[in-house]
Amino acid sequence: MKFRKLGPAVAGLVAAGLALSACGSTDAGSAVSSATSAAGSVAAGATSSAGSAVAEATGGTATGGAGLVEKAAAGTLKIGIKFDQPGLGLQNPDGSFSGFDVDVATYVAKELGVEESGIEFIQTKSSEREASIENGTVDYIVATYSITDARKEKVNFAGPYFVAHQDLLVAEGSDITGPEAMSGKILCSVAGSTSAQKVKDTYAADVALQEYGTYTECVEALAGGAVDAVTTDDVILAGYAAQYPGQLKLVGKGFSDENYGIGLTKGDTAGTDAVNAAIKKMIDDGSWAAALEANVGPSGYVIPTPPTIG
Amino acid sequence: MSKATAVLYDHPGPRARLRNNVLSAVFLVLLALGVWWVIATLEDKGQLRAALWKPFLTSQMWTTYLLPGLWNTLKAALFSVVIALPIGALLGIARLSDHAWIRVPAGVVVEFFRAIPVLILMVFAFGFTVTVLDVADPLYAVVIALVLYNGSVLAEVFRAGILSLPRGQSEASLAIGMTKSQMMQIVLLPQALTAMLPAIVSQLVVVLKDTALGGILIGFVELRRVAGTAASFYKNVVPIYIVIAVIYILLNLALTSLASYLENRARRKRAGRGSGPVEPAPTVEAAQAPGLTDTGRL
Amino acid sequence: MNFSFLSDPRYNLLGAFWNTIQLTLWAAVGSLILGTVLTAMRVSPVPMMRGFATVYVNMVRNIPLTVVIIAMSQVLANGLGVRLASRGEGAAGAQAFLTSQNFRLAVLGLVLYTSTFVSEALRSGINTVPVGQAEAARAIGLKFTQILGIIVLPQAFRAVVAPLGSVLIALTKNTTVASAIGVAEASLLMNTMLENEADKFTAIFIVFALGFVILTLPTGLLFGRIAKKVGVKR
């Protein structure tokens, strides 16, 4: 072990340690502000059929690698979803997955020619979503992924396949009727989410904010009486409300529009078109409403009219 | 321990025995009251319902949630220790170098990474892996952060281990014409390594516990985080936390026993050989606290 | 490198580090007390206390602090309904309740965890006191509490100043885990800042890393000096 050899090694360590340089944003769970404006423009040209999408695909991808359509042709897909959101993306005890996002992901995969057995579901945290798409950890993401301008810089969005609204989950019998009533109350949300901040900024400056790591923790705290309300998108909250029948309920005053999109590689126009076509078909043949009814219907969540794609 | 502490009080006579028994009884009652309160509250809040505990008897609870999480925890801990060991050795030896331009930077690196919370290191390592290495898997960030921290801690363990060897060893090596690197490789390091094995295994306990930090901010799917996923389904937060605490305790107790077994074996070996002073193996604690290696007393 | 975020009124950097310091100090005092009590129990003539303290130390020190602190919030506060603060009227009351409740839960978790390490350090400190001293104390008729309180513990404390310093440094760094239950300390602010100022990643890291170096390095030096000064020459 020659001391001389240590120089570069040590220097390398220092460099590695200190060069933790500029990083991709660990972004918020749902960026509210820009969602509405972003909705329509994303899926322009989505009307083109999946068939023509395949034809375009060869030259269509910007990142050099194969586009979604080619990957699907190989028979397997890696799809990013949430594992811990009842009604949307939940890992069941038998290892299977259930929820509306899962159904949409599976339907789209099938339209792209990939059977359920060829799908590998991958757990993606909110803050990892852009990075996972950019470096190919997943082929596309269906995980309550709101379409925003900031995110469109990094990924392509297909959809929206669903429009959710920010809402409040409260205990049965609570006197909270809307975000304005949160003044002097305790509101729970996950760390890094902007939805709680929005309530504070727009509706109730006097609200006290509690942050936990996951919505499940917030909901436990709500059920235990430690917080007065939980806020995020209504469809997410509906899943939890269904888990606590007679105990927790949705306030039902949606106060924002969250356009859920399917995120895929930036510049993959062919893939985006193909996914849009699949979503459109899912809405048209009634599978969309059926999936929603099966997953969040039991909570009393009113199935909305499907969003317009493109 | 009983042998060591028995010096603090006389062998109890009849009165002392009575007093001890009374104190034992009082303490037992207090403890029982505490336990009763916990159980009553659990019962009151419906946390003892069989439905919340039954999932642990199903294989799915384990195969779907807990075991994959445990596997990730173990994987991160093992990777971290295996990579941190050579880095720690390098840094430890570098801090003993005769050349200031090696010694000083190594010292700075070690002190810097020991001074920063692992959680903060992890968050930045995550940013580093995502942008520079282009991987979104938080396992890398967890391992990098744990390697930087534990490499620095192990560097001090190595340094203490080498310093604890009798001076005669290095003097003799130099006297028979070894170069400094030969002395380090052939004479000092092997001895220091055996002496430090228990401390290294103990450090594994620290690493194992620190992997749980990966679940807080960067989304590493370790044992505590899968507990959260499972709780999303079963709604049994309290039982699940009790179960994962027990898993951690059992794992770490096993590692601690392994460490003390290794320590005893090393001590027996040294005593059996009868060469050189019988010094206790330097532990992490001892490495950080000079003057605490004296066990020949009370 | 752009450090403009330092003057941004949205980020209360000093306030966050002040919270880190407060968490550290309260938890340090609590751990020292509980750690001493646990040590006294571990060397006491009462078998029940010895057993309890030994089991407690060996269990709690093997559970990750993350699990301990989140359990304080999820199990103790939310599951068992324990409140460590009372909720006053109105908006101020809600905010004050939330802040105190989270802070106290975090301190409680840190104390329960750190006291086991204090106890381990103290026990090794007791081992540095020569047997003869305890024997002499017994010979002149001192009782267990007197031997421990007057003869052994004071010397044990002086012997373990340096390791207690290490425990305090570890505690300072461990306060970052309180971010998991929403205590507004340094790491939580850092997380927020990273979300808003992703482009100033390196600068933010340097600021927070330096903050902790400034907190922990003097602690180590100070305790090293005290250790030299009060250490018992043998």
Side-chain angles (χ1 to χ4, degrees), chain A residues 220 243-244 247, chain B residues 39 41-56 234-237 239:
Chain A
E220 282 285 321
Q243 279 197 332
Y244 292 80
Q247 246 186 301
Chain B
I39 290 177
T41 322
L42 283 172
E43 180 70 49
D44 186 40
K45 302 278 174 188
Q47 296 288 1
L48 291 181
R49 276 179 294 132
L52 299 186
W53 291 87
K54 257 191 194 135
F56 295 104
Y234 296 111
K235 292 186 292 167
N236 56 351
V237 173

Side-chain angles (χ1 to χ4, degrees), chain C residues 151-184:
Chain C
I151 315 281
V152 176
L153 268 188
Q155 295 189 64
F157 269 114
R158 290 167 69 177
V160 295
V161 168
L164 283 184
S166 310
V167 172
L168 183 62
I169 291 174
L171 171 63
T172 311
K173 296 190 290 174
N174 280 342
T175 55
T176 50
V177 179
S179 62
I181 60 168
V183 177

Side-chain angles (χ1 to χ4, degrees), chain A residues 1-4 6-7 9-10 13-14 16-24 26 83-84 86 90-95 123 125 127-128 131-132 134-135 137 191 213-214 216-217 220 240 243-245, chain B residues 60 64-65 87 90-91 93-94 97 101-102 105-106 109 112-113 124-128 130-132 134-136 138 148 180-181 184-185 189 217-219 221 224-225 228-229 231-235 237:
Chain A
M1 200 154 299
K2 288 198 173 66
F3 285 150
R4 205 155 304 164
L6 285 175
V10 172
L13 246 180
V14 180
L18 297 181
L20 303 171
S21 54
C23 153
T26 41
F83 278 26
D84 56 359
L90 185 70
Q91 185 180 30
N92 297 315
D94 59 2
Q123 183 169 16
K125 199 178 179 281
S127 55
E128 298 161 13
S132 302
E134 281 176 335
N135 63 29
T137 309
T214 61
T216 307
E217 287 171 59
E220 282 285 321
Y240 288 111
Q243 279 197 332
Y244 292 80
Chain B
Q60 290 181 340
T64 305
Y65 303 110
I87 290 180
L90 275 177
L91 283 171
I93 296 165
S97 164
W101 64 270
I102 296 173
V109 167
F112 181 73
F113 286 114
F124 283 92
F126 187 58
F128 176 74
V130 167
T131 48
V132 182
D134 206 25
V135 279
L148 290 177
K180 270 191 288 186
S181 56
M184 195 56 86
Q185 279 173 34
L189 257 189
L217 294 176
I218 64 171
V221 188
R224 189 203 61 82
R225 194 152 183 255
T229 313
S232 309
F233 189 87
Y234 296 111
K235 292 186 292 167
V237 173

Side-chain angles (χ1 to χ4, degrees), chain C residues 24-36 107 110-112 115 118:
Chain C
T24 310
L25 291 181
W26 283 107
V29 171
S31 319
L32 199 61
I33 295 171
L34 184 58
T36 310
V107 168
L110 286 167
V111 166
L112 292 179
S115 57
V118 172

